[in-house]
Amino acid sequence: DPGRLSASANLYPLKPASKLNGITDIVGYNVYFGWYYGEMQDFGPWLDRFHASQPGVSLGITEYGVDANPALHSEAPKLKDYSEEYQALWHETVYPQIEARSWLWGSFIWNMFDFSSDRRNEGGQKGINAKGLVTHDRKTRKDAFYYYKARWSEEPFLHLCAKRFQVRAEESVDVKCYTNQPAVRLEVNGIPFGERPAVNGTALFRNVPLRMGENRISAEAGACTDACVWTRAAE
């Protein structure tokens, strides 16, 4: 069919110089730095090395993502903890590296929804590949979903992250919001905490104090508002 491009998808271990990359009109790579290998910051340098060595290959990213169980949370998210916070941080870090390289023909998040995978037993969920931005039952949108909404939607929007992380044991925490508005204002228990600019769709408030018991966190960006209650406990 001379009217259509031919395409193939390859895994990261396939070397850029492989002859397989010269067969089809366009090539996609499934890349998982910061999950199965390497660090999340490795995306950009790897893409640049590939493009420099094979400038004639029309390259896209056909899979990128990490697993997250929305029941798992961490103040210090790290590789393979399956926390909602690590997935969100990972996409915040990786997507700008992809976006900055205009010579890529496209990119595809893996995946929109968690999906069945019989052999898996990871992150507290059996039979599930949890790389989705939305849960398997289509009912829960993970925080990473709202990162892309902040980056891609033109409708004014604000999302306060980590609402499901309801019990905290720290005296102070970082509060993160996703928005497509220029800045976000924060209140903690009715007291203004200040305003932060939104960069990469993200406004971050460092070292927000929590009192023992319930704490109401309120965010405002233009006409958009969001709020949640976190409870500080002894442990």
Side-chain angles (χ1 to χ4, degrees):
D1 184 351
R4 304 190 194 194
L5 296 174
S6 60
S8 61
N10 295 320
L11 298 178
Y12 160 74
L14 186 75
K15 302 302 182 184
S18 169
K19 292 181 179 180
L20 292 175
N21 287 329
I23 295 173
T24 55
D25 296 314
I26 61 174
V27 171
Y29 262 71
N30 304 342
V31 186
Y32 290 95
F33 289 116
W35 191 246
Y36 294 126
Y37 41 76
E39 305 291 335
M40 62 179 84
Q41 295 84 359
D42 293 339
F43 264 83
W46 178 80
L47 288 168
D48 290 340
R49 290 194 299 273
F50 190 114
H51 189 56
S53 67
Q54 304 297 324
V57 174
S58 184
L59 179 66
I61 302 299
T62 35
E63 289 186 20
Y64 73 104
V66 297
D67 293 67
N69 180 344
L72 300 180
H73 301 281
S74 175
E75 292 286 1
K78 61 184 180 180
L79 174 65
K80 289 289 185 174
D81 67 5
Y82 293 87
S83 70
E84 192 172 9
E85 287 70 33
Y86 183 78
Q87 185 192 43
L89 176 64
W90 191 91
H91 280 283
E92 291 170 33
T93 304
V94 168
Y95 177 65
Q97 298 176 70
I98 295 172
E99 181 186 35
R101 287 157 175 84
S102 59
W103 41 264
L104 291 171
W105 57 258
S107 61
F108 298 84
I109 302 164
W110 192 262
N111 201 343
M112 182 63 173
F113 304 104
D114 292 349
F115 60 94
S116 299
S117 181
D118 185 64
R119 66 186 177 88
R120 289 179 183 262
N121 185 5
E122 303 177 36
Q125 299 185 102
K126 290 186 177 182
I128 293 290
N129 184 316
K131 291 183 181 66
L133 304 181
V134 182
T135 54
H136 184 269
D137 60 8
R138 275 57 172 171
K139 292 182 179 180
T140 302
R141 297 175 178 183
K142 305 175 192 179
D143 282 342
F145 172 95
Y146 294 101
Y147 166 69
Y148 285 101
K149 184 171 182 178
R151 293 303 318 277
W152 293 346
S153 176
E154 296 181 357
E155 178 184 357
F157 164 76
L158 172 67
H159 173 74
L160 182 59
C161 296
K163 291 191 185 76
R164 282 175 282 274
F165 196 0
Q166 294 177 344
V167 178
R168 309 295 184 100
E170 291 75 17
E171 293 182 5
S172 63
V173 299
D174 292 344
V175 177
K176 181 166 62 178
C177 298
Y178 292 142
T179 186
N180 55 9
Q181 301 301 288
V184 177
R185 294 174 296 282
L186 193 72
E187 284 191 0
V188 181
N189 297 316
I191 301 173
F193 190 80
E195 182 176 281
R196 300 290 185 274
V199 179
N200 183 31
T202 306
L204 184 62
F205 297 82
R206 297 281 191 188
N207 300 314
V208 176
L210 299 181
R211 66 192 182 194
M212 294 301 293
E214 289 190 352
N215 294 263
R216 179 172 175 80
I217 311 298
S218 304
E220 181 180 334
C224 304
T225 61
D226 201 4
C228 70
V229 174
W230 292 331
T231 300
R232 183 180 162 202
E235 59 182 6

